[in-house]
Amino acid sequence: MTSTWVKPGPSRGNIHLLGGSLATVGTAWLLSRKFMADPRRVVWLLAAGIALTTIPSMVAYWTSLADGMQGDVCIFIPAIYFYIGPCFGLLNNLAPCHMRNMFIAISLLVANIFNLMVAPWVVGALSDWFAGTHATDAASLRLALLCLAPTGFWAAYHLYVASKTIIADQKRAIGYTSTWAP
């Protein structure tokens, strides 16, 4: 057993390819079942999935043993793909027909700004802070990532809260679309 942090490599690509594909297809199959027609169940599924997969991501960031975190990474990486389709489907159901492209474009813009600009800056600043007077290393990076990992619980909470109003929100969106349409 080695005490170095897991380095990216070909195995990560395979996890993304195979695990991501299986997660996407499995989620599509599950959501096509009749009992998932209620949008509250979709939001509950997303909340539970995100909350449950936040745990292995935190364990993966907590441990420094490469062998110990392999299983956590194999759970966490495919979970990245599980929520994308249902989230965009819910967003499209809540958007007026003539605004769906704009809703998706804005949500992708905001997600990319936070994921590619804000989060790396915050992780880098935290990593520098944890490193203190010595050079940043894997340990300070792991601690910085561990600080942001609980945001998965925050997202799950907001999805759960959204389940209380999603049916009324969809009815309002349908009403807006029918009054707008020629």
Side-chain angles (χ1 to χ4, degrees), residues 161-174:
V161 170
S163 72
K164 297 180 185 307
T165 62
I166 192 161
I167 293 177
D169 294 338
Q170 285 185 340
K171 286 180 182 176
R172 188 172 51 251
I174 291 168

PDB file of all heavy atoms in Angstrom, residues 161-174:
ATOM      1  N   VAL A 161     -35.989  20.804  -0.891  1.00  0.00           N
ATOM      2  CA  VAL A 161     -36.898  21.942  -0.687  1.00  0.00           C
ATOM      3  C   VAL A 161     -37.681  22.223  -1.974  1.00  0.00           C
ATOM      4  O   VAL A 161     -38.869  22.539  -1.931  1.00  0.00           O
ATOM      5  CB  VAL A 161     -36.113  23.186  -0.215  1.00  0.00           C
ATOM      6  CG1 VAL A 161     -36.979  24.428  -0.225  1.00  0.00           C
ATOM      7  CG2 VAL A 161     -35.556  22.947   1.187  1.00  0.00           C
ATOM      8  N   ALA A 162     -37.020  22.082  -3.136  1.00  0.00           N
ATOM      9  CA  ALA A 162     -37.696  22.315  -4.414  1.00  0.00           C
ATOM     10  C   ALA A 162     -38.823  21.319  -4.646  1.00  0.00           C
ATOM     11  O   ALA A 162     -39.799  21.631  -5.346  1.00  0.00           O
ATOM     12  CB  ALA A 162     -36.694  22.242  -5.565  1.00  0.00           C
ATOM     13  N   SER A 163     -38.717  20.138  -4.048  1.00  0.00           N
ATOM     14  CA  SER A 163     -39.765  19.127  -4.246  1.00  0.00           C
ATOM     15  C   SER A 163     -41.109  19.579  -3.680  1.00  0.00           C
ATOM     16  O   SER A 163     -42.148  19.097  -4.104  1.00  0.00           O
ATOM     17  CB  SER A 163     -39.354  17.800  -3.606  1.00  0.00           C
ATOM     18  OG  SER A 163     -39.404  17.868  -2.194  1.00  0.00           O
ATOM     19  N   LYS A 164     -41.098  20.502  -2.766  1.00  0.00           N
ATOM     20  CA  LYS A 164     -42.345  20.972  -2.144  1.00  0.00           C
ATOM     21  C   LYS A 164     -43.156  21.869  -3.086  1.00  0.00           C
ATOM     22  O   LYS A 164     -44.359  21.967  -2.947  1.00  0.00           O
ATOM     23  CB  LYS A 164     -42.031  21.706  -0.846  1.00  0.00           C
ATOM     24  CG  LYS A 164     -41.383  20.803   0.190  1.00  0.00           C
ATOM     25  CD  LYS A 164     -41.086  21.539   1.464  1.00  0.00           C
ATOM     26  CE  LYS A 164     -40.337  20.717   2.456  1.00  0.00           C
ATOM     27  NZ  LYS A 164     -40.869  19.438   2.809  1.00  0.00           N
ATOM     28  N   THR A 165     -42.503  22.513  -4.043  1.00  0.00           N
ATOM     29  CA  THR A 165     -43.214  23.448  -4.923  1.00  0.00           C
ATOM     30  C   THR A 165     -43.112  23.096  -6.401  1.00  0.00           C
ATOM     31  O   THR A 165     -43.642  23.826  -7.231  1.00  0.00           O
ATOM     32  CB  THR A 165     -42.667  24.879  -4.736  1.00  0.00           C
ATOM     33  OG1 THR A 165     -41.284  24.898  -5.097  1.00  0.00           O
ATOM     34  CG2 THR A 165     -42.843  25.351  -3.297  1.00  0.00           C
ATOM     35  N   ILE A 166     -42.465  21.991  -6.742  1.00  0.00           N
ATOM     36  CA  ILE A 166     -42.192  21.731  -8.158  1.00  0.00           C
ATOM     37  C   ILE A 166     -43.467  21.523  -8.979  1.00  0.00           C
ATOM     38  O   ILE A 166     -43.538  21.958 -10.134  1.00  0.00           O
ATOM     39  CB  ILE A 166     -41.208  20.560  -8.342  1.00  0.00           C
ATOM     40  CG1 ILE A 166     -40.733  20.547  -9.798  1.00  0.00           C
ATOM     41  CG2 ILE A 166     -41.819  19.246  -7.937  1.00  0.00           C
ATOM     42  CD1 ILE A 166     -39.481  19.789 -10.029  1.00  0.00           C
ATOM     43  N   ILE A 167     -44.476  20.902  -8.424  1.00  0.00           N
ATOM     44  CA  ILE A 167     -45.715  20.688  -9.193  1.00  0.00           C
ATOM     45  C   ILE A 167     -46.398  22.024  -9.478  1.00  0.00           C
ATOM     46  O   ILE A 167     -46.803  22.296 -10.612  1.00  0.00           O
ATOM     47  CB  ILE A 167     -46.649  19.699  -8.473  1.00  0.00           C
ATOM     48  CG1 ILE A 167     -45.990  18.321  -8.487  1.00  0.00           C
ATOM     49  CG2 ILE A 167     -48.025  19.672  -9.113  1.00  0.00           C
ATOM     50  CD1 ILE A 167     -46.749  17.253  -7.758  1.00  0.00           C
ATOM     51  N   ALA A 168     -46.494  22.874  -8.472  1.00  0.00           N
ATOM     52  CA  ALA A 168     -47.084  24.210  -8.687  1.00  0.00           C
ATOM     53  C   ALA A 168     -46.233  25.025  -9.658  1.00  0.00           C
ATOM     54  O   ALA A 168     -46.776  25.750 -10.501  1.00  0.00           O
ATOM     55  CB  ALA A 168     -47.203  24.942  -7.353  1.00  0.00           C
ATOM     56  N   ASP A 169     -44.917  24.888  -9.562  1.00  0.00           N
ATOM     57  CA  ASP A 169     -44.039  25.610 -10.482  1.00  0.00           C
ATOM     58  C   ASP A 169     -44.247  25.143 -11.919  1.00  0.00           C
ATOM     59  O   ASP A 169     -44.283  25.960 -12.846  1.00  0.00           O
ATOM     60  CB  ASP A 169     -42.571  25.426 -10.081  1.00  0.00           C
ATOM     61  CG  ASP A 169     -42.234  26.064  -8.747  1.00  0.00           C
ATOM     62  OD1 ASP A 169     -42.965  26.974  -8.314  1.00  0.00           O
ATOM     63  OD2 ASP A 169     -41.226  25.642  -8.143  1.00  0.00           O
ATOM     64  N   GLN A 170     -44.391  23.840 -12.120  1.00  0.00           N
ATOM     65  CA  GLN A 170     -44.624  23.331 -13.472  1.00  0.00           C
ATOM     66  C   GLN A 170     -45.986  23.768 -14.000  1.00  0.00           C
ATOM     67  O   GLN A 170     -46.104  24.107 -15.179  1.00  0.00           O
ATOM     68  CB  GLN A 170     -44.491  21.809 -13.505  1.00  0.00           C
ATOM     69  CG  GLN A 170     -43.067  21.347 -13.433  1.00  0.00           C
ATOM     70  CD  GLN A 170     -42.920  19.845 -13.586  1.00  0.00           C
ATOM     71  OE1 GLN A 170     -43.864  19.082 -13.392  1.00  0.00           O
ATOM     72  NE2 GLN A 170     -41.722  19.417 -13.926  1.00  0.00           N
ATOM     73  N   LYS A 171     -46.998  23.786 -13.148  1.00  0.00           N
ATOM     74  CA  LYS A 171     -48.314  24.268 -13.589  1.00  0.00           C
ATOM     75  C   LYS A 171     -48.247  25.735 -13.984  1.00  0.00           C
ATOM     76  O   LYS A 171     -48.849  26.148 -14.971  1.00  0.00           O
ATOM     77  CB  LYS A 171     -49.355  24.067 -12.484  1.00  0.00           C
ATOM     78  CG  LYS A 171     -49.770  22.632 -12.303  1.00  0.00           C
ATOM     79  CD  LYS A 171     -50.788  22.485 -11.199  1.00  0.00           C
ATOM     80  CE  LYS A 171     -51.144  21.019 -11.007  1.00  0.00           C
ATOM     81  NZ  LYS A 171     -52.061  20.832  -9.882  1.00  0.00           N
ATOM     82  N   ARG A 172     -47.504  26.516 -13.214  1.00  0.00           N
ATOM     83  CA  ARG A 172     -47.344  27.938 -13.541  1.00  0.00           C
ATOM     84  C   ARG A 172     -46.614  28.092 -14.874  1.00  0.00           C
ATOM     85  O   ARG A 172     -46.975  28.918 -15.702  1.00  0.00           O
ATOM     86  CB  ARG A 172     -46.608  28.654 -12.414  1.00  0.00           C
ATOM     87  CG  ARG A 172     -46.572  30.147 -12.573  1.00  0.00           C
ATOM     88  CD  ARG A 172     -46.019  30.898 -11.362  1.00  0.00           C
ATOM     89  NE  ARG A 172     -44.734  30.388 -10.897  1.00  0.00           N
ATOM     90  CZ  ARG A 172     -44.549  29.707  -9.765  1.00  0.00           C
ATOM     91  NH1 ARG A 172     -45.571  29.429  -8.984  1.00  0.00           N
ATOM     92  NH2 ARG A 172     -43.344  29.298  -9.416  1.00  0.00           N
ATOM     93  N   ALA A 173     -45.592  27.278 -15.111  1.00  0.00           N
ATOM     94  CA  ALA A 173     -44.853  27.348 -16.374  1.00  0.00           C
ATOM     95  C   ALA A 173     -45.745  26.958 -17.554  1.00  0.00           C
ATOM     96  O   ALA A 173     -45.707  27.586 -18.609  1.00  0.00           O
ATOM     97  CB  ALA A 173     -43.621  26.439 -16.316  1.00  0.00           C
ATOM     98  N   ILE A 174     -46.577  25.933 -17.363  1.00  0.00           N
ATOM     99  CA  ILE A 174     -47.504  25.518 -18.424  1.00  0.00           C
ATOM    100  C   ILE A 174     -48.528  26.622 -18.687  1.00  0.00           C
ATOM    101  O   ILE A 174     -48.847  26.940 -19.832  1.00  0.00           O
ATOM    102  CB  ILE A 174     -48.202  24.199 -18.068  1.00  0.00           C
ATOM    103  CG1 ILE A 174     -47.183  23.067 -18.097  1.00  0.00           C
ATOM    104  CG2 ILE A 174     -49.356  23.903 -19.000  1.00  0.00           C
ATOM    105  CD1 ILE A 174     -47.684  21.772 -17.485  1.00  0.00           C
TER     106      ILE A 174
END
